[in-house]
Amino acid sequence: LNQVGGSISQQEKELIMSVIGTVILYPPADDGSGAMPRYIEPSIVGLRDLLLGSGASATEGNVDIEVYVCDDPAECLNPVRTTVSAKPFTRLVSERLRRMSDNIVTRTPQTAADIGFINNTSEPVYRMLAVANAVPGSGTAETLIETYKDVIALDYAETFLSRSLTQAMGALSQALRRSEVEQKYLDQIRSHAQQARAQLLAEKQTAYAKVRSVSSMWSRQIGRAS
């Protein structure tokens, strides 16, 4: 996965490797032996836990997930399967929304990370928070965050994972020489990527169904807050 471009961080590379698996190409020995690629199965099969936090962890609010951690960031020839406590996407997004909401109330500029988050969601997140905070002390912003945090988290996760998976698959397609064995590994990884996208889409559709038409409901609530 180190063939993936620099726009994806090391942790993001390790996360994607853990979701779809990877193939490690070892250089051959001097006699030409030992060049057989090594296939690594995905360690994250419960994508829903990572997205919505239905799993358990010793840290309250977190989920325990197994990820591959590179032994060396440059080569990553021997990734180690490690259990880590991570914040699910829903928790990460709700915390960010609350920080953004507080910034609006205190007239503090949003950070570059906040702006990046806004640009990677298809829902009118900033407008929702701005109008919801138009009436100080109404609690409208907190209500909207609690109501739509799953939808926004899944929307953001879809953008993040789709972008990362596309880059990862492109890198693997270029890196493998496409022998019969390597093609089999690539097909397996592509299948895992498709399954991950399908899980994400299913969760997103379920979340949207719970709040019916998100845009129209936001419009009605925002209208009442105006």
Side-chain angles (χ1 to χ4, degrees):
L1 266 179
N2 279 316
Q3 298 294 325
V4 176
S7 60
I8 296 181
S9 71
Q10 183 66 27
Q11 286 186 321
E12 289 173 338
K13 292 177 186 178
E14 292 170 344
L15 173 61
I16 297 304
M17 177 169 61
S18 303
V19 170
I20 68 174
T22 192
V23 177
I24 299 176
L25 300 177
Y26 294 99
D30 292 339
D31 60 2
S33 63
M36 190 69 179
R38 174 190 171 197
Y39 173 63
I40 294 181
E41 287 275 359
S43 62
I44 297 177
V45 293
L47 188 57
R48 189 180 192 281
D49 289 352
L50 180 60
L51 296 172
L52 301 175
S54 59
S57 175
T59 302
E60 185 177 357
N62 281 17
V63 291
D64 283 344
I65 58 173
E66 289 193 352
V67 297
Y68 289 109
V69 178
C70 290
D71 59 324
D72 177 75
E75 298 294 335
C76 198
L77 295 179
N78 296 287
V80 178
R81 188 162 173 159
T82 306
T83 300
V84 300
S85 178
K87 292 182 181 181
F89 269 79
T90 295
R91 183 180 172 192
L92 286 169
V93 166
S94 61
E95 289 177 355
R96 181 173 295 281
L97 291 174
R98 289 188 176 93
R99 287 196 300 270
M100 291 170 60
S101 182
D102 290 341
N103 289 342
I104 291 171
V105 172
T106 60
R107 299 182 181 278
T108 302
Q110 303 295 341
T111 66
D114 294 331
I115 295 172
F117 170 76
I118 293 169
N119 292 335
N120 280 287
T121 54
S122 61
E123 302 298 339
V125 174
Y126 187 79
R127 179 172 178 269
M128 175 193 79
L129 294 175
V131 178
N133 280 296
V135 181
S138 66
T140 303
E142 180 61 28
T143 298
L144 292 182
I145 290 171
E146 280 300 308
T147 302
Y148 300 114
K149 63 182 182 181
D150 284 359
V151 169
I152 298 170
L154 290 165
D155 181 71
Y156 176 75
E158 181 181 41
T159 299
F160 162 71
L161 287 176
S162 293
R163 170 178 61 88
S164 302
L165 288 173
T166 297
Q167 288 185 267
M169 291 308 302
L172 285 169
S173 297
Q174 295 173 12
L176 292 180
R177 295 186 301 276
R178 298 299 192 82
S179 68
E180 183 179 349
V181 173
E182 292 163 345
Q183 182 62 51
K184 179 189 71 174
Y185 291 145
L186 184 59
D187 289 342
Q188 288 177 305
I189 293 174
R190 182 177 289 110
S191 176
H192 291 312
Q194 292 171 343
Q195 291 173 21
R197 284 192 174 108
Q199 287 183 49
L200 180 55
L201 180 59
E203 294 294 349
K204 185 176 178 180
Q205 289 175 334
T206 299
Y208 269 99
K210 288 181 180 179
V211 296
R212 300 174 63 189
S213 175
V214 177
S215 296
S216 63
M217 290 185 73
W218 274 352
S219 297
R220 288 198 296 273
Q221 294 202 42
I222 288 173
R224 288 197 293 268
S226 301

